[in-house]
Amino acid sequence: MNKIDFTKSAQIIFFVIILSVLSIGLVFAFSFLLEPLKNQWYYPLIDNLGIIGAYILLFSLFDKFFWRHRIFRILSVVSVPYIGGRWKGHIESSYNGRTTKYSAFLEIEQTFSHIKTCLYTEQSFSSSLMADFVIAPNGRQELHYEYHNEPNEKATATMHGHDGVAKFSYKKERNELIGSYYTTSQHDRGNVGSLYFKFESDKTCGCFDNN
């Protein structure tokens, strides 16, 4: 996820100056437009929104929607890619010698300040406990996260809940996420594996099969 870093001049200008000026302008605009309602009982509730309230409103809109616009990357306000949505792909595991490709779907919820991943297979579901973008030694940005996995009713008797870590590299030119994972479990030795996903849709469904 992005972090507000006040050592970066671009973020100081945007979050301290530009958003503050826009907040003041929004308050004046509301005051002018709502002048005819001045005698209504609910007018004080709106009037008390104030500059702080306007700033919170604008930041919330930026955090959820506007940050995705490429202009904020050009201006260095945003430094990470937007990869939200539903991704279709497969998993290969050392559990069976990487001889099988298990179909999987990866869903990512992302705002400016937060990112969450959910991975669905036919037999299990995992969700991230914490996630963040890091700079890899090769200079590329990678998504790293820690997750918890739980088997579902279709799982084999040998499958158990476990924790693990995963990382993805985003291949923008091919719209792909390629990565690897490592699992830790009290029931057996940890397994490693590879992950491959191709972007499918902006919409998520919270399940393995959305048919």
Side-chain angles (χ1 to χ4, degrees), residues 5-18 72 74-78:
D5 185 355
F6 288 126
T7 64
K8 297 181 178 180
S9 57
Q11 293 202 349
I12 293 175
I13 293 172
F14 180 75
F15 290 109
V16 176
I17 300 176
I18 295 179
F72 293 110
I74 295 174
L75 296 175
S76 298
V77 175
V78 174

Side-chain angles (χ1 to χ4, degrees), residues 71-167:
I71 187 63
F72 293 110
R73 290 179 180 80
I74 295 174
L75 296 175
S76 298
V77 175
V78 174
S79 60
V80 304
Y82 175 68
I83 56 174
R86 184 173 170 90
W87 301 71
K88 181 179 181 180
H90 65 264
I91 300 171
E92 297 178 14
S93 174
S94 63
Y95 178 77
N96 63 354
R98 301 179 187 257
T99 57
T100 303
K101 292 182 179 180
Y102 298 97
S103 296
F105 290 91
L106 176 69
E107 294 188 346
I108 300 175
E109 297 177 5
Q110 186 180 5
T111 67
F112 173 78
S113 59
H114 178 74
I115 187 166
K116 179 181 179 180
T117 69
C118 294
L119 193 149
Y120 305 88
T121 68
E122 195 170 11
Q123 297 187 7
S124 69
F125 158 76
S126 66
S127 60
S128 59
L129 303 174
M130 58 184 70
D132 205 352
F133 285 93
V134 301
I135 303 298
N138 60 8
R140 296 181 68 97
Q141 283 190 336
E142 293 182 346
L143 174 63
H144 288 209
Y145 66 92
E146 181 180 340
Y147 66 87
H148 179 72
N149 178 280
E150 282 292 337
N152 59 30
E153 68 279 359
K154 296 182 180 180
T156 61
T158 57
M159 290 190 68
H160 304 281
H162 62 268
D163 295 324
V165 292
K167 66 177 181 179

